[in-house]
Amino acid sequence: GYTSGRLRYDPDNRVLFADGEPVKLTATETRIVDLLMRNLGRIFPAEEIYRRVWEEETGFAPENTVMVHIRHIREKIELDPREPEYLKVVWGIGYKMEKK
């Protein structure tokens, strides 16, 4: 599995744990978490996340679509979603899961 601080991801079962508790994620959120947890510390542009997760060329406003899902994941894993400790935005580049 992959671990970052309070988070642990089990890729075989595609389950994310926060403080030892499984996090209820949608299928799309799970695909985003899978990508980011397998590549801790790597920054992915929103367009690349969209392409890999939705498996289609960039549709309408991919940044907004990705941003909404990122926000939902943060609400489920961060102690304070407004000051994320794990799922970070790197302005002008993209998103990453912090390596802790």
Side-chain angles (χ1 to χ4, degrees), residues 4 6 21-22 26 32 41 43 45-46 51-52 60-61 64 70 79-80 87-88 96 100:
S4 178
R6 299 170 33 248
E21 294 292 316
T26 67
I32 294 171
I43 303 165
R51 251 197 342 269
R52 286 175 174 235
F60 174 72
N64 292 348
I70 295 282
L79 297 175
D80 180 359
L87 192 38
K88 298 279 184 82
K96 69 172 179 174
K100 290 185 173 277

Side-chain angles (χ1 to χ4, degrees), residues 8-57:
R8 185 172 62 79
Y9 181 64
D10 170 358
D12 297 331
N13 297 301
R14 294 173 77 89
V15 179
L16 179 70
F17 297 89
D19 297 319
E21 294 292 316
V23 180
K24 285 188 168 62
L25 298 172
T26 67
T28 300
E29 291 165 358
T30 299
R31 287 198 290 272
I32 294 171
V33 164
D34 185 79
L35 174 66
L36 297 178
M37 287 296 291
R38 285 174 186 269
N39 297 278
L40 288 170
R42 180 173 160 202
I43 303 165
F44 289 91
E47 294 83 356
E48 185 177 350
I49 294 173
Y50 187 90
R51 251 197 342 269
R52 286 175 174 235
V53 168
W54 279 264
E55 292 175 351
E56 57 186 53
E57 277 313 302

